[in-house]
Amino acid sequence: MSEAHDGFEKATAGRRGGGRVGVTYKYFGAPDRATAARVPTALGPGGLGLDAGELGSLGRLGDLMETSGSPNGHLSTKIKPETMSAMVLTGIQGVPLHQVPPLELVVLHPDYAVVQLPHTVVEPLRKADETELGAAAFIWSTVPDRRGPRDAFVIYSMLHEWQDFANRLHDAGHQLYCLVWP
């Protein structure tokens, strides 16, 4: 499986016509689909891009993820929401990969899309214990092109970040969405 297929593709840092090249995924919370649909327009065209900040101290995890400083803010990553769903359901719930449900499309616009991660993904993530997170990380570290235990630890840390973020959103009465833009 190539990096582009397993969701760990690297967004390129080059420019194309003054814009970004690659795809970025910004996970965020909203109380409902209507509010989530308004997030991209509320941010405005300049708000869709993210400043990655100082991520070098996080090592490989910093290459994959950035979290904002606010308690409910956003979580940005280069991991596709489809891959996140698959990691949770196959690694934690034992669901066969071909049975992972599709994401729920909220908005499809020429410049971006907003998808909702289903409750069937978010709840197992929120409720997973250390053993389940570790097992999921190990399973996903064994796909081709991964580097074994080092990637397992990175994935484990990433799942923990997602779990913490999902719990903060749940406590705030929000659902988990993802803004996707090139």
Side-chain angles (χ1 to χ4, degrees), residues 80-101:
K80 294 178 184 180
E82 297 90 341
T83 301
M84 181 214 181
S85 293
M87 281 182 174
V88 169
L89 293 178
T90 62
I92 295 173
Q93 295 290 105
V95 173
L97 190 57
H98 70 278
Q99 291 181 357
V100 172

PDB file of all heavy atoms in Angstrom, residues 80-101:
ATOM      1  N   LYS A  80      -6.194  11.657   6.384  1.00  0.00           N
ATOM      2  CA  LYS A  80      -7.545  11.725   5.821  1.00  0.00           C
ATOM      3  C   LYS A  80      -8.572  11.290   6.864  1.00  0.00           C
ATOM      4  O   LYS A  80      -8.311  10.366   7.642  1.00  0.00           O
ATOM      5  CB  LYS A  80      -7.677  10.771   4.638  1.00  0.00           C
ATOM      6  CG  LYS A  80      -6.850  11.106   3.449  1.00  0.00           C
ATOM      7  CD  LYS A  80      -7.054  10.030   2.401  1.00  0.00           C
ATOM      8  CE  LYS A  80      -6.182  10.239   1.207  1.00  0.00           C
ATOM      9  NZ  LYS A  80      -6.382   9.189   0.202  1.00  0.00           N
ATOM     10  N   PRO A  81      -9.753  11.906   6.858  1.00  0.00           N
ATOM     11  CA  PRO A  81     -10.783  11.457   7.798  1.00  0.00           C
ATOM     12  C   PRO A  81     -11.209  10.010   7.532  1.00  0.00           C
ATOM     13  O   PRO A  81     -11.577   9.290   8.460  1.00  0.00           O
ATOM     14  CB  PRO A  81     -11.936  12.442   7.582  1.00  0.00           C
ATOM     15  CG  PRO A  81     -11.634  13.176   6.327  1.00  0.00           C
ATOM     16  CD  PRO A  81     -10.170  13.069   6.076  1.00  0.00           C
ATOM     17  N   GLU A  82     -11.120   9.561   6.286  1.00  0.00           N
ATOM     18  CA  GLU A  82     -11.433   8.168   5.973  1.00  0.00           C
ATOM     19  C   GLU A  82     -10.453   7.234   6.662  1.00  0.00           C
ATOM     20  O   GLU A  82     -10.818   6.164   7.154  1.00  0.00           O
ATOM     21  CB  GLU A  82     -11.379   7.914   4.457  1.00  0.00           C
ATOM     22  CG  GLU A  82     -12.398   8.691   3.665  1.00  0.00           C
ATOM     23  CD  GLU A  82     -11.881  10.061   3.205  1.00  0.00           C
ATOM     24  OE1 GLU A  82     -10.888  10.580   3.770  1.00  0.00           O
ATOM     25  OE2 GLU A  82     -12.495  10.620   2.285  1.00  0.00           O
ATOM     26  N   THR A  83      -9.176   7.631   6.690  1.00  0.00           N
ATOM     27  CA  THR A  83      -8.152   6.822   7.339  1.00  0.00           C
ATOM     28  C   THR A  83      -8.337   6.842   8.850  1.00  0.00           C
ATOM     29  O   THR A  83      -8.191   5.821   9.512  1.00  0.00           O
ATOM     30  CB  THR A  83      -6.744   7.314   6.949  1.00  0.00           C
ATOM     31  OG1 THR A  83      -6.620   7.233   5.531  1.00  0.00           O
ATOM     32  CG2 THR A  83      -5.671   6.475   7.603  1.00  0.00           C
ATOM     33  N   MET A  84      -8.683   8.007   9.391  1.00  0.00           N
ATOM     34  CA  MET A  84      -8.944   8.086  10.824  1.00  0.00           C
ATOM     35  C   MET A  84     -10.079   7.137  11.200  1.00  0.00           C
ATOM     36  O   MET A  84      -9.984   6.389  12.169  1.00  0.00           O
ATOM     37  CB  MET A  84      -9.301   9.511  11.222  1.00  0.00           C
ATOM     38  CG  MET A  84      -9.567   9.663  12.703  1.00  0.00           C
ATOM     39  SD  MET A  84     -10.822  10.895  12.972  1.00  0.00           S
ATOM     40  CE  MET A  84     -10.908  10.886  14.745  1.00  0.00           C
ATOM     41  N   SER A  85     -11.163   7.163  10.421  1.00  0.00           N
ATOM     42  CA  SER A  85     -12.294   6.267  10.681  1.00  0.00           C
ATOM     43  C   SER A  85     -11.855   4.809  10.616  1.00  0.00           C
ATOM     44  O   SER A  85     -12.225   4.004  11.478  1.00  0.00           O
ATOM     45  CB  SER A  85     -13.407   6.503   9.658  1.00  0.00           C
ATOM     46  OG  SER A  85     -13.969   7.769   9.817  1.00  0.00           O
ATOM     47  N   ALA A  86     -11.078   4.483   9.603  1.00  0.00           N
ATOM     48  CA  ALA A  86     -10.608   3.106   9.454  1.00  0.00           C
ATOM     49  C   ALA A  86      -9.699   2.702  10.612  1.00  0.00           C
ATOM     50  O   ALA A  86      -9.805   1.581  11.124  1.00  0.00           O
ATOM     51  CB  ALA A  86      -9.886   2.941   8.121  1.00  0.00           C
ATOM     52  N   MET A  87      -8.818   3.588  11.055  1.00  0.00           N
ATOM     53  CA  MET A  87      -7.940   3.287  12.195  1.00  0.00           C
ATOM     54  C   MET A  87      -8.755   2.943  13.432  1.00  0.00           C
ATOM     55  O   MET A  87      -8.460   1.987  14.141  1.00  0.00           O
ATOM     56  CB  MET A  87      -7.054   4.486  12.530  1.00  0.00           C
ATOM     57  CG  MET A  87      -5.877   4.670  11.671  1.00  0.00           C
ATOM     58  SD  MET A  87      -4.969   6.105  12.307  1.00  0.00           S
ATOM     59  CE  MET A  87      -3.550   6.032  11.270  1.00  0.00           C
ATOM     60  N   VAL A  88      -9.758   3.749  13.698  1.00  0.00           N
ATOM     61  CA  VAL A  88     -10.585   3.544  14.887  1.00  0.00           C
ATOM     62  C   VAL A  88     -11.394   2.256  14.775  1.00  0.00           C
ATOM     63  O   VAL A  88     -11.367   1.408  15.672  1.00  0.00           O
ATOM     64  CB  VAL A  88     -11.514   4.753  15.124  1.00  0.00           C
ATOM     65  CG1 VAL A  88     -12.556   4.447  16.186  1.00  0.00           C
ATOM     66  CG2 VAL A  88     -10.695   5.982  15.510  1.00  0.00           C
ATOM     67  N   LEU A  89     -12.111   2.103  13.672  1.00  0.00           N
ATOM     68  CA  LEU A  89     -13.024   0.969  13.568  1.00  0.00           C
ATOM     69  C   LEU A  89     -12.317  -0.372  13.381  1.00  0.00           C
ATOM     70  O   LEU A  89     -12.723  -1.371  13.958  1.00  0.00           O
ATOM     71  CB  LEU A  89     -14.047   1.200  12.463  1.00  0.00           C
ATOM     72  CG  LEU A  89     -15.028   2.333  12.763  1.00  0.00           C
ATOM     73  CD1 LEU A  89     -15.983   2.548  11.602  1.00  0.00           C
ATOM     74  CD2 LEU A  89     -15.800   2.078  14.044  1.00  0.00           C
ATOM     75  N   THR A  90     -11.264  -0.404  12.579  1.00  0.00           N
ATOM     76  CA  THR A  90     -10.561  -1.679  12.397  1.00  0.00           C
ATOM     77  C   THR A  90      -9.667  -1.988  13.590  1.00  0.00           C
ATOM     78  O   THR A  90      -9.617  -3.119  14.049  1.00  0.00           O
ATOM     79  CB  THR A  90      -9.713  -1.698  11.107  1.00  0.00           C
ATOM     80  OG1 THR A  90      -8.712  -0.685  11.185  1.00  0.00           O
ATOM     81  CG2 THR A  90     -10.578  -1.519   9.881  1.00  0.00           C
ATOM     82  N   GLY A  91      -8.977  -0.967  14.096  1.00  0.00           N
ATOM     83  CA  GLY A  91      -8.026  -1.199  15.176  1.00  0.00           C
ATOM     84  C   GLY A  91      -8.655  -1.347  16.542  1.00  0.00           C
ATOM     85  O   GLY A  91      -8.197  -2.135  17.363  1.00  0.00           O
ATOM     86  N   ILE A  92      -9.706  -0.603  16.825  1.00  0.00           N
ATOM     87  CA  ILE A  92     -10.328  -0.623  18.147  1.00  0.00           C
ATOM     88  C   ILE A  92     -11.551  -1.534  18.177  1.00  0.00           C
ATOM     89  O   ILE A  92     -11.740  -2.296  19.107  1.00  0.00           O
ATOM     90  CB  ILE A  92     -10.699   0.808  18.601  1.00  0.00           C
ATOM     91  CG1 ILE A  92      -9.419   1.640  18.784  1.00  0.00           C
ATOM     92  CG2 ILE A  92     -11.529   0.788  19.882  1.00  0.00           C
ATOM     93  CD1 ILE A  92      -9.659   3.108  19.062  1.00  0.00           C
ATOM     94  N   GLN A  93     -12.370  -1.471  17.156  1.00  0.00           N
ATOM     95  CA  GLN A  93     -13.617  -2.240  17.129  1.00  0.00           C
ATOM     96  C   GLN A  93     -13.495  -3.578  16.409  1.00  0.00           C
ATOM     97  O   GLN A  93     -14.391  -4.404  16.505  1.00  0.00           O
ATOM     98  CB  GLN A  93     -14.724  -1.423  16.461  1.00  0.00           C
ATOM     99  CG  GLN A  93     -15.127  -0.181  17.216  1.00  0.00           C
ATOM    100  CD  GLN A  93     -15.855  -0.506  18.492  1.00  0.00           C
ATOM    101  OE1 GLN A  93     -15.290  -0.388  19.560  1.00  0.00           O
ATOM    102  NE2 GLN A  93     -17.091  -0.923  18.393  1.00  0.00           N
ATOM    103  N   GLY A  94     -12.439  -3.767  15.617  1.00  0.00           N
ATOM    104  CA  GLY A  94     -12.280  -5.011  14.874  1.00  0.00           C
ATOM    105  C   GLY A  94     -13.171  -5.132  13.654  1.00  0.00           C
ATOM    106  O   GLY A  94     -13.391  -6.217  13.134  1.00  0.00           O
ATOM    107  N   VAL A  95     -13.681  -4.003  13.172  1.00  0.00           N
ATOM    108  CA  VAL A  95     -14.534  -3.990  11.987  1.00  0.00           C
ATOM    109  C   VAL A  95     -13.659  -4.242  10.756  1.00  0.00           C
ATOM    110  O   VAL A  95     -12.612  -3.616  10.605  1.00  0.00           O
ATOM    111  CB  VAL A  95     -15.249  -2.622  11.858  1.00  0.00           C
ATOM    112  CG1 VAL A  95     -16.000  -2.507  10.545  1.00  0.00           C
ATOM    113  CG2 VAL A  95     -16.171  -2.392  13.043  1.00  0.00           C
ATOM    114  N   PRO A  96     -14.063  -5.157   9.870  1.00  0.00           N
ATOM    115  CA  PRO A  96     -13.282  -5.355   8.638  1.00  0.00           C
ATOM    116  C   PRO A  96     -13.222  -4.048   7.827  1.00  0.00           C
ATOM    117  O   PRO A  96     -14.200  -3.294   7.796  1.00  0.00           O
ATOM    118  CB  PRO A  96     -14.060  -6.430   7.876  1.00  0.00           C
ATOM    119  CG  PRO A  96     -14.888  -7.116   8.912  1.00  0.00           C
ATOM    120  CD  PRO A  96     -15.200  -6.076   9.953  1.00  0.00           C
ATOM    121  N   LEU A  97     -12.107  -3.813   7.199  1.00  0.00           N
ATOM    122  CA  LEU A  97     -11.887  -2.571   6.465  1.00  0.00           C
ATOM    123  C   LEU A  97     -12.990  -2.288   5.455  1.00  0.00           C
ATOM    124  O   LEU A  97     -13.439  -1.153   5.318  1.00  0.00           O
ATOM    125  CB  LEU A  97     -10.522  -2.613   5.771  1.00  0.00           C
ATOM    126  CG  LEU A  97     -10.015  -1.315   5.162  1.00  0.00           C
ATOM    127  CD1 LEU A  97      -9.951  -0.202   6.208  1.00  0.00           C
ATOM    128  CD2 LEU A  97      -8.658  -1.519   4.534  1.00  0.00           C
ATOM    129  N   HIS A  98     -13.477  -3.310   4.775  1.00  0.00           N
ATOM    130  CA  HIS A  98     -14.522  -3.100   3.765  1.00  0.00           C
ATOM    131  C   HIS A  98     -15.876  -2.734   4.376  1.00  0.00           C
ATOM    132  O   HIS A  98     -16.789  -2.353   3.653  1.00  0.00           O
ATOM    133  CB  HIS A  98     -14.644  -4.318   2.846  1.00  0.00           C
ATOM    134  CG  HIS A  98     -15.210  -5.532   3.503  1.00  0.00           C
ATOM    135  ND1 HIS A  98     -14.440  -6.380   4.272  1.00  0.00           N
ATOM    136  CD2 HIS A  98     -16.465  -6.034   3.506  1.00  0.00           C
ATOM    137  CE1 HIS A  98     -15.205  -7.350   4.725  1.00  0.00           C
ATOM    138  NE2 HIS A  98     -16.443  -7.169   4.277  1.00  0.00           N
ATOM    139  N   GLN A  99     -16.014  -2.824   5.707  1.00  0.00           N
ATOM    140  CA  GLN A  99     -17.270  -2.469   6.358  1.00  0.00           C
ATOM    141  C   GLN A  99     -17.219  -1.116   7.078  1.00  0.00           C
ATOM    142  O   GLN A  99     -18.166  -0.749   7.760  1.00  0.00           O
ATOM    143  CB  GLN A  99     -17.673  -3.562   7.351  1.00  0.00           C
ATOM    144  CG  GLN A  99     -18.086  -4.846   6.675  1.00  0.00           C
ATOM    145  CD  GLN A  99     -18.508  -5.906   7.677  1.00  0.00           C
ATOM    146  OE1 GLN A  99     -18.456  -5.720   8.879  1.00  0.00           O
ATOM    147  NE2 GLN A  99     -18.936  -7.046   7.155  1.00  0.00           N
ATOM    148  N   VAL A 100     -16.124  -0.400   6.926  1.00  0.00           N
ATOM    149  CA  VAL A 100     -16.031   0.933   7.531  1.00  0.00           C
ATOM    150  C   VAL A 100     -17.018   1.839   6.790  1.00  0.00           C
ATOM    151  O   VAL A 100     -16.978   1.939   5.564  1.00  0.00           O
ATOM    152  CB  VAL A 100     -14.591   1.494   7.434  1.00  0.00           C
ATOM    153  CG1 VAL A 100     -14.535   2.945   7.874  1.00  0.00           C
ATOM    154  CG2 VAL A 100     -13.646   0.633   8.266  1.00  0.00           C
ATOM    155  N   PRO A 101     -17.936   2.487   7.537  1.00  0.00           N
ATOM    156  CA  PRO A 101     -18.966   3.302   6.867  1.00  0.00           C
ATOM    157  C   PRO A 101     -18.373   4.560   6.241  1.00  0.00           C
ATOM    158  O   PRO A 101     -17.337   5.064   6.697  1.00  0.00           O
ATOM    159  CB  PRO A 101     -19.928   3.660   8.001  1.00  0.00           C
ATOM    160  CG  PRO A 101     -19.113   3.590   9.233  1.00  0.00           C
ATOM    161  CD  PRO A 101     -18.080   2.520   8.993  1.00  0.00           C
TER     162      PRO A 101
END
